[in-house]
Amino acid sequence: MTLYLLKRLAVLIASTAAAAVVVFAFMALLPGDPAEIALGVNATPEAVAELRRQFGTDRPPLTQFLDWAGGLLQGDFGISYVTSSPIGPQISDRLGVTAVLVLGGMVVALVLAVPAGTFAAVHHRNPLGAAISAFSQVGIAVPAFLAGILLVFVFAVQAQALPSGGYVPISESPGEWLRSLLLPWLSLGLVQGAVLTRYVRSAVLDVMREDYLRTARAKGRGATGALWRHGLRNASIPVVTVLGLQLATLLIGAVVVERVFVIPGLGDLLLNGVAGRDLLLVQGVVMVLVAAVLLINFVVDVAYHLLDPRLR
């Protein structure tokens, strides 16, 4: 197990380094000069050259990359081209909000998908089980931002029970913090829960057809007891893999949901950076998102190894 962890850790480090190269190269190939954009069309060549020197964009690309990558290792993301403020604190302030949003959405998805998918599998010949499968199929077709708009219309506009947007820090008011995140959590969790329900149902159905489950029932265990004791852990193995992909999807979906609900997370910071042509800020946020996805895949690989003893 230790050797496996070291191998996966080496892959994680190599993947992160490769991702840093790709992100930097992609941003460098984008048209537009940050200095010219910051100064405007009426800037003199001397002023543009001086600002390029301050930004460091007059140096060779390799030197710029090594300087940026070295800063990342120390937690330094550079200075914003637009606000002239450090980028690292901006990202760290927003990262916690996005993490809470993504984890809350995943909790909602799991709370809905595990019992619904298991029930649909156990009662797959029952009309109610077929109805759950049908509803989950409909949920897959609904994007998160559309689910968010519908939830706002129902719960904020019509019922006036929850706020339509905005964010209240938990330090100011835990109750208002919870109310401000309920609709974003639901908009992310309902869509991903529908996807996850299909996988849970399929995994449980496969396990129910296995010989060891029939043997457990033949020895006197009931259907529910046999499934709980011998089936769910085996059914969770493929679901864990999908769960990692869903977490990555939630992370990307949070970018749009934060905009819909006016939540100051990484997605909001990223879109503001794109709108303001703050390329170094965009580069830093994208790198954080990519690193988060790679870290999620690493955790999923380790969890998969722990759940399946055949891999050990």
Side-chain angles (χ1 to χ4, degrees), residues 182-271:
L182 278 177
L183 289 184
W185 281 342
L186 286 173
S187 63
L188 286 172
L190 288 174
V191 174
Q192 298 304 322
V195 177
L196 203 55
T197 297
R198 304 287 298 177
Y199 285 101
V200 172
R201 178 183 179 274
S202 177
V204 174
L205 274 176
D206 289 341
V207 166
M208 288 173 61
R209 299 188 183 104
E210 294 291 340
D211 291 338
Y212 61 80
L213 209 63
R214 290 198 203 96
T215 303
R217 296 192 62 183
K219 288 183 175 181
R221 281 190 177 271
T224 304
L227 183 61
W228 180 263
R229 177 67 179 83
H230 301 286
L232 288 183
R233 179 174 178 178
N234 292 285
S236 67
I237 293 173
V239 174
V240 165
T241 303
V242 177
L243 193 62
L245 298 176
Q246 293 299 99
L247 270 172
T249 305
L250 276 172
L251 191 61
I252 305 305
V255 172
V256 181
V257 169
E258 286 174 2
R259 205 62 166 182
V260 171
F261 290 98
V262 199
I263 295 176
L266 280 181
D268 182 68
L269 183 64
L270 175 64
L271 294 177

